Every structure is written in structure tokens, then in C-alpha cells.
Amino acid sequence: MWRLSLCFDYAVDVTKPLRRDAERNRQRILQAAQEVFAARGVDVMLDDIAHHAGLGVGTVYRRFPTREDLVEALFDSRLEVIVGWAAEAMEDPDPWAGLNRFAERAIAAMADDRGLRDIAFSRAYGRNRVAEVRERLAPVVEALVVRCQQAGVVRPDVGGADLGLIQFMLAALLEYTEPVEPGLWRRYLTLMLDGLRSGTTPLPGAMPDVEAMDRIAENWRPPRRPPADH
């Protein structure tokens, strides 16, 4: 029945500054959401966020009526940072070093945050502001690849989408390896990036042994999927 009491709150002018206690609650919700999304991914209930924040679920719904609203508030700025990393890589005097540094920073961020990789690779979340940021990222990544091709360090038959799919594959790898073999993604990032050009690069770290592979296999879970639309 508490949902009925929220209908009056939606009519409030959202342009007005929040009261101090309301803004404090909003920040608690965002902090709790960041922690829960990072640990469990975006496919959680607002009730879980409220519990983690130590607030009533009605308070969360007053600030963020849907999970989509909370995702938008939290993740558009996170993806803007990744766009900024790509722009910084364009300024590197060594095109190949810039491309590598961008890819490594992006995957490292997603290794620490399940929610971020859900948002970066799934179109089920963040359909408005977050989607706009994702769309701005694609041409910058394409420009990074083209710049490397013009320098003669990347093969001519690849594009920005190939780099995106490499990151997508590594995000899937993170789901299964990061909880039991943290940092293993760096080995495969190097291997995949080397596939973009001729030449060799020493692989960081060691190949996992049989016991490590067993732990990874035991950690396998079916991919998380967004709730079905009704």
C-alpha cells in the first residue's frame, strides 16, 4: 500500500533543490547502488539498494521511481570517464601505446565493477543518457584504430567494432575468472591486441594450471539476463 502514498511525490517540481535531508538520502542511495551494482551487477531490485543503504524502500522510490532512473543517475558519468580516456589516448604521440592504454584502463574499470560492464555492453539498461554516452564513445574508438592504421601499426582490415568485441569477450571472461583468478584478463587482452597487428609481445603473467582451470570451471554460472518485458 505504500506505493499509493508516493503518487503525490511525483508531482513535485524536480527543478527545486532538495531539502538537506532529502539530498543526504539521495547520496546514500547512490552510494549504496554503486556498491551493490559493482558487486552483483545491475540486475537487482530497488529493494536490495534500499536495504544496503539502510533506508526504507519508499524513500528510494521517491528519489528513483524505477531502476532505470537510478542507472541513469549513476552510470552516465562513469561512461563519460571512459570517453575521456579514449580522447586522452588520441593525444598520445605513440598511437599503438595510446590504443593499448585505453583498452587496459577500460577493462580494468570493468573488472572492478560488474554494473559498469553490464551497462557498457548491454542495451537493456540506460536507454537515455547512458545510451547517448555509449554512442559518443564508438566514433572515438574508431578514430583510435584509424590513427594506428595510418601509423602502420594496425592491420588494415579491422575497425573500432573489432576492439569493442574484444572488450566484450573480455567482459565475459571477467564473469568467470575474476572471482577466482583476479587479473587473468591482462594476459588475454595482450593476446587479443596482438591479433590486431603483426609482431609479438610477451604475455604478462603465467598460463593458468590445471587446478586454476578447475576453479574457473567450478565458478561458471549461466549469463545474467535482464527481466523479460511485460
Side-chain angles (χ1 to χ4, degrees):
M1 295 299 294
W2 57 266
R3 288 178 180 267
L4 297 177
S5 68
L6 303 182
C7 60
F8 300 104
D9 294 320
Y10 298 157
V12 175
D13 183 356
V14 296
T15 63
K16 293 181 179 178
L18 296 175
R19 300 189 315 272
R20 182 174 301 177
D21 59 338
E23 177 59 24
R24 184 165 53 247
N25 284 341
R26 183 177 186 276
Q27 293 304 318
R28 286 177 64 182
I29 294 166
L30 288 172
Q31 180 63 35
Q34 180 174 334
E35 293 170 0
V36 173
F37 288 158
R40 298 170 52 188
V42 175
D43 196 15
V44 296
M45 304 294 292
L46 287 184
D47 301 49
D48 299 322
I49 305 298
H51 177 76
H52 191 73
L55 297 170
V57 69
T59 300
V60 176
Y61 275 94
R62 279 194 290 273
R63 299 279 73 85
F64 302 99
T66 70
R67 182 176 55 189
E68 182 77 3
D69 295 322
L70 185 51
V71 165
E72 293 282 338
L74 190 61
F75 283 105
D76 64 335
S77 61
R78 305 291 302 282
L79 289 176
E80 284 282 10
V81 170
I82 297 179
V83 175
W85 291 343
E88 288 177 19
M90 286 291 294
E91 301 300 322
D92 194 303
D94 183 335
W96 179 248
L99 179 68
N100 275 260
R101 189 173 70 255
F102 164 71
E104 182 175 358
R105 292 174 83 178
I107 297 300
M110 293 173 197
D112 293 333
D113 191 333
R114 281 190 171 190
L116 181 59
R117 61 183 184 259
D118 283 348
I119 293 301
F121 296 111
S122 173
R123 294 302 181 264
Y125 311 102
R127 293 185 178 90
N128 298 313
R129 295 201 310 268
V130 170
E132 292 172 4
V133 178
R134 282 194 301 249
E135 290 172 3
R136 289 204 301 276
L137 179 61
V140 184
V141 173
E142 179 69 29
L144 278 174
V145 174
V146 170
R147 182 169 179 254
C148 286
Q149 289 169 330
Q150 292 172 342
V153 295
V154 164
R155 54 196 295 168
D157 56 348
V158 298
D162 292 301
L163 184 58
L165 284 173
I166 286 173
Q167 293 177 320
F168 192 100
M169 288 185 283
L170 288 168
L173 178 72
L174 288 170
E175 290 290 323
Y176 308 126
T177 63
E178 196 64 13
V180 291
E181 288 290 320
L184 185 60
W185 61 268
R186 295 180 184 276
R187 177 182 179 87
Y188 295 98
L189 174 62
T190 300
L191 184 62
M192 290 181 174
L193 288 176
D194 267 6
L196 297 179
R197 68 169 192 167
S198 59
T200 59
T201 302
L203 293 174
M207 185 175 68
D209 58 19
V210 173
E211 292 181 357
M213 290 301 296
D214 286 341
R215 291 195 298 272
I216 292 169
E218 289 171 359
N219 194 61
W220 184 88
R221 297 291 184 276
R224 299 191 310 278
R225 294 181 175 88
D229 294 331
H230 296 288

